[in-house]
Amino acid sequence: MLGAGLVSGVPQAGAAEAPVGLGTAGAYSVLGGQTVTNTGPSTLDKDLGVFPGTAITGFPPGTAAGATHAGDAAAGRAQSDLVVAYDDAAGRAPTANVAGDLVGRTLTGGVYKSSGPLAISGTLTLDGRGDSSTVWIFQVAATLITASASSVNLVNGAQACHVFWQVGSSATLGTHSRFVGTIMALTSITATTGTVVAGRALARNGQVSLDDNTFTTPACDTAPTTTPTTTTPTTTPATSDTGTNTSTGTATDTASSTGTGTATDTASSTGNESTTGPAGGGVGTTWSGTDRTSGEHAGTPTGPSELAGTGASPLLGPLVGLGALLFILGGLLLAVARRLRRARR
């Protein structure tokens, strides 16, 4: 059975709709006006309460993970907050009109208004379109009835904590159905055998009836905020050495003088080098030239040298002549001495 559909297929203001503030009523899985009854091992993961009535039956075997408030001040505050939330949901400006049966529909976020009864005989899909903050508010003027084994499915980031059903009379959830959202009914709410609810059953004036049901109240997940990571490249500046390195260390020079002279410097240095001092046996000799990476020096010695251009010392000739003269004189003196010895004999 399919009634009139949506006036507009995709509500334009869906993602911008604010959730309904529940106040202290948000702490309850089940809150009744006059009574709360239960059959079987129903489980509630939050508080259980009733106000202004005081009757809660069927717990146990039912269990509530939170506190139980039967007609006390806490339940009274929750009922007051429920009235505010109900009026808030009812007063939102509709973004689309719905009627009849929502079976087979896929609805994006928005405020959906039904001027009569609303039904879900099969599957209703709520599509968040990748936005976990999307909100759905259903304004139902009369009754809300779901069929046995019916379901409300959430896709693409839709969350149960952002689904609200404002019902002008009473709501009935079919056996073994799977329902999503917070029901705020003016009169009463009935969850038949095996119904699973991801949300709340909050009745203002009447009773809430349970029969082997499971209530979970998921908290809203906050969409993660991604901060882009900025990587600053590290630049290593190029180093240019334009200085002059003067070596003051000890250098060992091996030189052979043949007029122009060559020398090998075994010292290591970097940059431009000028070595001043004795090298190759020269006195006051200065070597200048290009310093190679192997530590060798190539150049021409400048300054005075004790070596002649022919390779022989300039004092060698006179010394040889003097030695020859002394040798001759020694021979003559020896001959004279021998003669004098013979004459004495």
Side-chain angles (χ1 to χ4, degrees):
M1 142 181 110
L2 181 61
L6 299 174
V7 172
S8 58
V10 180
Q12 298 302 309
E17 197 67 42
V20 175
L22 296 174
T24 61
Y28 289 76
S29 293
V30 171
L31 177 64
Q34 294 301 322
T35 61
V36 174
T37 64
N38 172 66
T39 300
S42 294
T43 58
L44 316 180
D45 73 341
K46 285 187 174 291
D47 291 356
L48 166 65
V50 61
F51 189 90
T54 59
I56 297 177
T57 61
F59 288 87
T63 58
T68 298
H69 300 281
D72 61 12
R77 285 193 299 272
Q79 276 289 356
S80 295
D81 290 342
L82 174 57
V83 171
V84 174
Y86 181 95
D87 291 342
D88 176 18
R92 299 290 181 98
T95 56
N97 294 325
V98 292
D101 193 347
L102 297 179
V103 62
R105 299 281 187 179
T106 297
L107 303 179
T108 57
V111 180
Y112 295 89
K113 183 176 180 62
S114 172
S115 58
L118 203 60
I120 304 174
S121 63
T123 299
L124 167 65
T125 300
L126 304 182
D127 186 353
R129 291 189 169 183
D131 185 354
S132 62
S133 67
T134 302
V135 172
W136 290 259
I137 299 174
F138 294 89
Q139 300 169 334
V140 186
T143 58
L144 170 66
I145 299 175
T146 69
S148 297
S150 62
S151 64
V152 178
N153 292 343
L154 304 177
V155 298
N156 297 327
Q159 299 193 76
C161 62
H162 285 155
V163 181
F164 304 90
W165 304 82
Q166 176 260 316
V167 180
S169 59
S170 298
T172 301
L173 306 180
T175 58
H176 300 289
S177 61
R178 302 181 68 86
F179 190 80
V180 168
T182 296
I183 302 174
M184 299 176 289
L186 183 62
T187 307
S188 62
I189 302 171
T190 300
T192 58
T193 307
T195 299
V196 175
V197 178
R200 304 170 181 85
L202 311 177
R204 287 181 55 182
N205 301 316
Q207 76 172 35
V208 176
S209 299
L210 307 178
D211 184 357
D212 192 13
N213 307 128
T214 300
F215 278 76
T216 60
T217 312
C220 286
D221 294 330
T222 303
T225 301
T226 303
T227 302
T229 301
T230 302
T231 302
T232 303
T234 301
T235 303
T236 303
T239 301
S240 176
D241 184 7
T242 59
T244 301
N245 180 26
T246 301
S247 173
T248 59
T250 302
T252 302
D253 295 328
T254 303
S256 60
S257 289
T258 57
T260 59
T262 60
T264 300
D265 185 0
T266 60
S268 298
S269 66
T270 58
N272 297 322
E273 181 179 7
S274 175
T275 304
T276 303
V283 178
T285 302
T286 300
W287 290 95
S288 62
T290 302
D291 181 22
R292 302 175 184 173
T293 57
S294 63
E296 296 180 354
H297 288 280
T300 302
T302 60
S305 175
E306 294 180 358
L307 299 180
T310 59
S313 171
L315 299 178
L316 183 60
L319 290 175
V320 171
L322 179 59
L325 179 60
L326 292 175
F327 181 80
I328 294 171
L329 290 175
L332 291 175
L333 290 173
L334 181 60
V336 171
R338 287 177 179 175
R339 289 176 180 177
L340 289 175
R341 271 193 218 106
R342 292 174 183 170
R344 289 175 182 174
R345 291 176 183 171

